[in-house]
Amino acid sequence: MRVLSSRKLRPFVFTFAVGLSALLVFLPRRSVTEENGSTERTVIFPKELNHGGEKCASVSDVRLRLDPIPAMGTLALNRPDLLLSLLKTIDYPVTHFVIAHNLDSNEDTNRETESLLRSLETDTADVLGHENIMNLTVVRHGGNLGFSAGVNRIISTAVKSPYWLIANNDVAFYSGALREIAFQMVNPMSRYSEVCAWAMIGEPIGPFSAFVLTQRAVQTVGIWDENFWPIYAEDCDYEARLIRANCPMIFESNTSRVARHVGSAAWKTTQQSSSLASLVGKGNNNFDYIEKKWGSNVCSARTSVEPYMDINSGYSRPFDHENHSLAYWSVDMSRRTQRGGPEKCVFCNSIDFHPN
């Protein structure tokens, strides 16, 4: 693991001519002031600003300190071109960015991905053309530990973060989207600031190709279950846990609003060179395990409207055990190795994770 040193963030300074101040009643404006050595951005929105088809909270004059996004991360497997595209769309400061590298079965792909990762470690700003990533951590798993393990790595690498923005490597954010996310997460008048998860990109009934996960979620239902290997159904499981804990979520109604998304690019666009396409089919994409854990395939109980899943579908506790918390899981290593998975995890048991 190599962590790059912090870079000083260039201040964002916007100067408005006095004669234009009257336009603020019609258009959103942002300004920067210096108070006691700290940077404070004043954000002014009209009362009914329609942003991408969805109204912001009714705010006429909101004064907030907009800090950088505290932690953001992605998983690297293959398609380094898409990873680079994602990183270049980061147009808002991020304090800590984590890349969890799961190896592909194709060695040429691994070498191409590793080449990009090394260049990023050497000089992030030159490669990306911006300095919005203040600290970069690349974690090499030495194998494919799966999507859940990658999420857990991102969480544990920046464990004190108030929230984490996690995005697939085939996502590319639109200009201004990250600023909006940062604003919503600190705006006390926004419902987003109180959620456990904000899922925003992907399928309407499970837009977890990019999502915000908060400390409230991790403190309430724990980290992601690494039995879901290599991918699929892990988000259904986490959603089922949040629903049962009454931990609120928000799903974007327009899942293409904040970013472009290729969709399952890690295996759909590499089927001739990667074994991942065959791996995701084993166990019906982990449906065998999720049915064992919850007594039914809770993925089929999803909906696109709140609360986003039928809470009456399946057990109320994992494995129908009254003494198991909603955070409980333990990797069935026999099942994993039979499916071709590695005999290692980021966390092999939920109790191994210590958020404090």
Side-chain angles (χ1 to χ4, degrees):
M1 181 189 301
R2 182 178 178 185
V3 183
L4 296 190
S5 60
S6 298
R7 288 186 172 87
K8 288 186 177 181
L9 197 61
R10 294 180 180 176
F12 294 83
V13 180
F14 298 85
T15 306
F16 297 100
V18 174
L20 294 180
S21 60
L23 293 178
L24 290 175
V25 298
F26 302 107
L27 298 174
R29 286 290 184 268
R30 294 172 174 85
S31 65
V32 175
T33 59
E34 297 292 331
E35 296 187 3
N36 299 321
S38 64
T39 300
E40 182 175 286
R41 290 179 178 81
T42 303
V43 185
I44 301 175
F45 287 100
K47 288 188 175 181
E48 291 191 351
L49 174 63
N50 190 302
H51 184 72
E54 298 195 9
K55 290 182 179 179
C56 295
S58 179
V59 181
S60 59
D61 188 344
V62 179
R63 186 175 180 85
L64 297 171
R65 174 170 176 162
L66 281 187
D67 291 322
I69 291 173
M72 184 174 177
T74 190
L75 281 70
L77 175 71
N78 49 39
R79 294 299 303 272
D81 58 318
L82 293 178
L83 172 60
L84 182 60
S85 177
L86 163 65
L87 295 173
K88 285 187 173 182
T89 65
I90 297 176
D91 61 354
Y92 186 83
V94 176
T95 300
H96 200 160
F97 197 100
V98 182
I99 301 175
H101 185 200
N102 281 328
L103 292 181
D104 190 85
S105 61
N106 186 299
E107 288 303 321
D108 289 337
T109 296
N110 290 334
R111 281 190 288 271
E112 292 171 2
T113 304
E114 176 63 20
S115 177
L116 173 60
L117 296 178
R118 286 187 179 277
S119 67
L120 288 168
E121 289 177 314
T122 302
D123 203 327
T124 310
D126 281 354
V127 175
L128 300 182
H130 64 72
E131 295 184 355
N132 289 321
I133 294 177
M134 302 167 67
N135 297 276
L136 174 68
T137 300
V138 176
V139 183
R140 295 165 173 85
H141 286 156
N144 188 343
L145 302 190
F147 182 83
S148 286
V151 173
N152 290 343
R153 180 71 73 186
I154 294 166
I155 293 171
S156 61
T157 302
V159 71
K160 298 297 185 181
S161 178
Y163 68 89
W164 302 264
L165 173 58
I166 300 171
N168 289 0
N169 72 332
D170 59 355
V171 165
F173 288 96
Y174 294 129
S175 176
L178 297 179
R179 179 185 291 273
E180 178 194 345
I181 293 168
F183 171 74
Q184 296 290 6
M185 293 307 297
V186 299
N187 179 7
M189 299 183 68
S190 166
R191 65 190 185 120
Y192 294 87
S193 63
E194 297 297 325
V195 299
C196 289
W198 173 12
M200 58 189 72
I201 300 169
E203 296 296 326
I205 61 170
F208 281 91
S209 292
F211 59 98
V212 168
L213 192 69
T214 66
Q215 274 285 352
R216 181 180 177 184
V218 173
Q219 295 287 343
T220 303
V221 301
I223 55 175
W224 288 51
D225 187 341
E226 296 189 29
N227 281 291
F228 294 96
W229 184 89
I231 52 173
Y232 291 153
E234 64 281 316
D235 53 343
C236 302
D237 170 72
Y238 205 82
E239 184 181 341
R241 290 150 67 185
L242 291 175
I243 288 289
R244 285 157 174 75
N246 197 29
C247 211
M249 294 178 286
I250 294 177
F251 284 10
E252 281 287 321
S253 59
N254 180 355
T255 57
S256 60
R257 184 176 72 85
V258 299
R260 299 186 303 276
H261 180 221
V262 176
S264 300
W267 67 274
K268 284 186 177 179
T269 63
T270 58
Q271 293 191 39
Q272 302 304 314
S273 62
S274 173
S275 64
L276 191 59
S278 60
L279 288 174
V280 297
K282 291 185 178 182
N284 293 319
N285 300 336
N286 294 311
F287 291 162
D288 62 322
Y289 174 71
I290 204 166
E291 289 175 0
K292 179 180 179 181
K293 183 174 183 177
W294 294 110
S296 69
N297 180 4
V298 292
C299 292
S300 62
R302 281 176 148 178
T303 66
S304 59
V305 295
E306 293 186 62
Y308 307 117
M309 181 180 284
D310 181 3
I311 195 172
N312 296 314
S313 175
Y315 305 142
S316 61
R317 295 278 174 174
F319 307 101
D320 201 25
H321 197 298
E322 63 180 9
N323 292 327
H324 285 341
S325 73
L326 292 170
Y328 173 82
W329 53 266
S330 179
V331 170
D332 182 344
M333 199 59 72
S334 175
R335 174 182 175 271
R336 173 179 283 201
T337 55
Q338 288 175 3
R339 302 179 76 235
E343 294 185 13
K344 60 185 295 188
C345 335
V346 173
F347 298 100
C348 290
N349 297 277
S350 56
I351 60 173
D352 292 340
F353 175 72
H354 303 287
N356 298 318

